[in-house]
Amino acid sequence: MTLKELWHRLGSPRWFYRISGPLAWVLGILALVLLVSGSVWGLAFAPPDYQQGNSFRIIYIHVPTAIVAQSAYMLMGVAGAILLVWRMKMADMVLAATVPFGMTMTALALFTGAVWGKPTWGAWWVWDARTTSMLVLLFLYFGLYALRQAIPRQETAGRACAVLAVVGVINIPIIKYSVDWWLTLHQGATFRLTEAPAMPPEMWIPLAVNVLGLYCFFGANLVGRLRAEIVRREARTAWVRALAAGELQTAREVSEDEVLRMGPGPGAGR
Amino acid sequence: MSFASFGEFLNMGGHALYVWLSYGAAAGVMLYNWAAARRQQRRALQDVLDRMRREAGGRADGRAGRGDEER
């Protein structure tokens, strides 16, 4: 398959739906294995921090969620750009399917940050460059969610969300460099591409495992939500009707006779 | 193992509230996202089937054409 063919296929909801069923399962199982082992390792086996004691173990939740919350936003920015340039309908579906997950991850990063801040900084919340820019990220997610609800025409809503997603990407480097640009209470980056982590391996390996696990969970969740979005938007096509009848027949929620009686319906051939 | 006993593990050196609150919230958010994706897939397929049922019902009642036009 050439790259150009792959690009065209990725634009086809039907093709994506066909190949993505097993993908969601594989990613989901990988996520479960990685997240359970990374968390047990981090909670029970990693050594306590010499200054923070055991409260530092929140890092195994806080850092992965914050990283994935920003990656999810980056993905929406890319999807938004693709939608605006090539009008690919799958890009809009990716954008819509990512919003709820990214929103909950951002909220969780802020929540675990607050819970970690209390014993470490002595306050649940500080108006610090890192925490404030993460709060802006949460509001961007709220904005994307509300914008789609507010515009009834799907195509208009998609383009408005794409513009907001693309413009909001400016916040990502601000979050990343906030700890370097401004005086801040927040500690610096845990992982850097150019140098070894400041922590010993028995502390950072479980963290890397959890980061990887959460990416897998994000992948599985995105695929799952995307499949629902595809079925909703392509509900009138013959292939989705056949699929719905087939799936629910397997689940014994509808009989074979009834499916035959309904036929392909007016959506056939589209 | 970084703790001498299970009780010490639960106590987290006096930071039990903060550590377990974080992990509990994380587990809740993960479960919610998993359940939401699953529920949406089922509901989307169910909606398609419901529409097919309505359309088939419309035809059987001899109201063909009209029943198909809804929405």
Side-chain angles (χ1 to χ4, degrees), chain B residues 13-52:
Chain B
H15 286 139
L17 171 71
Y18 307 110
V19 173
W20 297 117
L21 197 59
S22 294
Y23 279 79
V29 167
M30 302 292 166
L31 275 177
Y32 163 76
N33 275 302
W34 175 74
R38 214 181 140 78
R39 191 189 61 230
Q40 282 170 18
Q41 288 182 74
R42 288 182 69 92
R43 184 171 294 168
L45 287 169
Q46 192 67 55
D47 284 350
V48 173
L49 198 75
D50 286 349
R51 192 204 300 260
M52 286 165 75

Side-chain angles (χ1 to χ4, degrees), chain A residues 14-32:
Chain A
R14 186 181 184 175
W15 180 80
F16 181 84
Y17 196 93
R18 213 180 56 222
I19 61 132
S20 62
L23 184 68
W25 276 102
V26 170
L27 285 171
I29 289 166
L30 256 168
L32 187 70

